[in-house]
Amino acid sequence: MISDYLVVGGGIVGAAIAEGLARVGEDVVLLDEGDIALRAARGNFGNVWVQGKGAGAPPYANLTRQAAHDWADLADRLGSDTGIDLQFRQPGAAYICFSEEQLDTRAAMLARSNEGAAIQSRYERLDRAALAERLPDIGPSVAGGTYCPDDGTANPLHLLRALIASLQSHGGRYLPHHKVEKVDRDGTGFSAQTAAGTLRAGRIVLAAGLANAQIAPMLGLRAPVRPVRGQILVTERLAPFLGCGTNFIRQTVEGSCLFGESSEEVGNDDGTTLPVLTDTVKKAVAAFPVLANARVVRSWGALRIMTPDGVPVYHSRDGAFAVSVHSGVTLCPFHTDGLITHIQAGSFDGPEFSSFQPERFDVQNN
């Protein structure tokens, strides 16, 4: 099979890029390992998160903030095209602090995140009384928090399904159970060897999350990513009590509460551990005592795709592209739209990508 583009990776990032290419008329094939993949799309919170991102990295701050501003249009478009409700809501979000010292540190970091950024992040520092006006059920140990009106949430499962449905409606092909084992340059184009056969295309985009670390070097590309595990619990459905999202607890449209904030360097182990889950529950109940009697119905571990500095890597070489990002949900509007123009143009070498090149991790030895 020969197409204009092969996109490797059927998670939110790969599906977004493939959908964007198909929507502008490119002949694109999306290759997906399937549900056995270490897929962040099926394990994350679904946060569209702005506050705090890009501190010390203004280009990333700008990219994140613009994407968050574009999210409503993306949700409307995909909803209209596919009939799938992405459950996008943008009531803002609060970062809960349990001490004045933590609140001071948090507010100072948010101030730094606006330094040098063209798109300023709106945020407020809230003492306990002000936070309680937004979140009346906070516990007595909460000292206050910060609030950003640009933060929101979406349903990542609905998002992934809508992207693939839109891809197919625009003539793109979605091939599950096609784990890519090898990629290579093939004449003037590229080939991808999968368990189900070899496919070819004029260009190739690698958006396979953690697998990028192994397959990108096959094409002379770099994807310095590592897994970072987070553990999440979800409760039974509860009466609405969260007027906005928080940094480690969100209430879904259906009423269930998800909570989790752990960060563990454990390789590709996506399991759960009792000590981490216990600490997570204690913190959740301290923040919102109303959760004390809620029943937990399931828990899971999921692996984040993390670069050394947490900032995306966009790398290209002679018609091959590697996209390695942590914030696949937040950046989805960019990946379906703005990024497509650069892929069609043939490279990520412009000044707008200078801060996202992997060479920033190189150390000069004198």
Side-chain angles (χ1 to χ4, degrees):
M1 180 184 296
I2 300 177
S3 57
D4 295 334
Y5 288 89
L6 291 175
V7 178
V8 180
I12 287 174
V13 175
I17 294 170
E19 191 270 347
L21 288 168
R23 202 176 71 254
V24 297
E26 301 288 1
D27 179 21
V28 58
V29 176
L30 176 62
L31 303 177
D32 183 12
E33 180 180 357
D35 287 342
I36 61 171
L38 295 170
R39 194 192 301 283
R42 298 193 187 279
N44 66 40
F45 255 33
N47 279 340
V48 177
W49 193 266
V50 173
Q51 63 169 302
K53 283 188 178 176
Y60 182 37
N62 293 331
L63 189 66
T64 296
R65 295 164 188 180
Q66 186 60 58
H69 293 164
D70 293 339
W71 237 100
D73 290 340
L74 174 70
D76 288 344
R77 177 177 68 77
L78 285 176
S80 177
D81 288 350
T82 68
I84 299 171
D85 179 8
L86 271 56
Q87 298 180 344
F88 173 64
R89 306 289 187 271
Q90 201 166 25
Y95 190 101
I96 296 172
C97 298
F98 290 93
S99 68
E100 288 295 331
E101 181 182 6
Q102 184 185 14
L103 183 54
D104 289 342
T105 300
R106 177 73 184 172
M109 186 273 288
L110 291 182
R112 289 197 306 275
S113 74
N114 274 336
E115 295 175 358
I119 304 175
Q120 294 290 288
S121 175
R122 301 175 293 167
Y123 70 91
E124 303 172 52
R125 173 180 174 147
L126 305 176
D127 61 19
R128 178 182 167 76
L131 182 61
E133 290 181 5
R134 295 185 182 275
L135 300 170
D137 291 301
I138 60 170
S141 60
V142 174
T146 59
Y147 171 80
C148 175
D150 298 319
D151 294 327
T153 58
N155 186 317
L157 304 182
H158 289 200
L159 172 59
L160 181 58
R161 185 158 61 93
L163 289 169
I164 293 174
S166 182
L167 161 72
Q168 293 173 317
S169 73
H170 287 96
R173 284 163 286 176
Y174 169 62
L175 300 181
H177 313 299
H178 277 66
K179 178 180 180 179
V180 172
E181 300 166 344
K182 183 181 180 182
V183 292
D184 205 351
R185 297 185 184 273
D186 185 2
T188 58
F190 300 88
S191 65
Q193 294 181 20
T194 79
T198 298
L199 299 98
R200 294 177 174 80
R203 290 179 175 177
I204 191 167
V205 182
L206 307 180
L210 295 171
N212 268 9
Q214 287 73 50
I215 61 178
M218 299 178 187
L219 297 176
L221 297 171
R222 296 172 62 183
V225 293
R226 73 186 194 281
V228 176
R229 185 173 71 186
Q231 298 185 40
I232 297 175
L233 301 97
V234 59
T235 70
E236 62 185 329
R237 296 181 180 183
L238 305 171
F241 71 95
L242 278 177
C244 66
T246 76
N247 52 307
F248 70 102
I249 305 173
R250 64 162 289 204
Q251 190 166 25
T252 67
V253 171
E254 296 84 6
S256 298
C257 285
L258 290 81
F259 42 95
E261 198 182 29
S262 61
S263 182
E264 304 169 88
E265 303 276 354
V266 293
N268 287 333
D269 181 358
D270 62 350
T272 59
T273 61
L274 188 57
V276 169
L277 295 179
T278 299
D279 288 345
T280 300
V281 168
K282 288 180 178 178
K283 184 176 180 181
V285 172
F288 295 98
V290 69
L291 290 171
N293 296 318
R295 290 179 295 180
V296 172
V297 296
R298 62 185 179 275
S299 64
W300 63 86
L303 301 179
R304 304 177 182 92
I305 295 90
M306 195 63 65
T307 64
D309 59 3
V311 175
V313 170
Y314 297 100
H315 197 206
S316 64
R317 176 171 292 181
D318 302 326
F321 306 83
V323 177
S324 301
V325 305
H326 163 57
S327 301
V329 174
T330 302
L331 295 179
C332 192
F334 173 63
H335 292 150
T336 63
D337 191 7
L339 187 70
I340 302 304
T341 302
H342 298 282
I343 292 176
Q344 287 184 300
S347 79
F348 295 147
D349 294 335
E352 58 270 59
F353 288 100
S354 61
S355 297
F356 301 113
Q357 298 297 316
E359 287 77 13
R360 69 183 187 269
F361 303 120
D362 295 340
V363 177
Q364 181 69 44
N365 294 316
N366 294 319

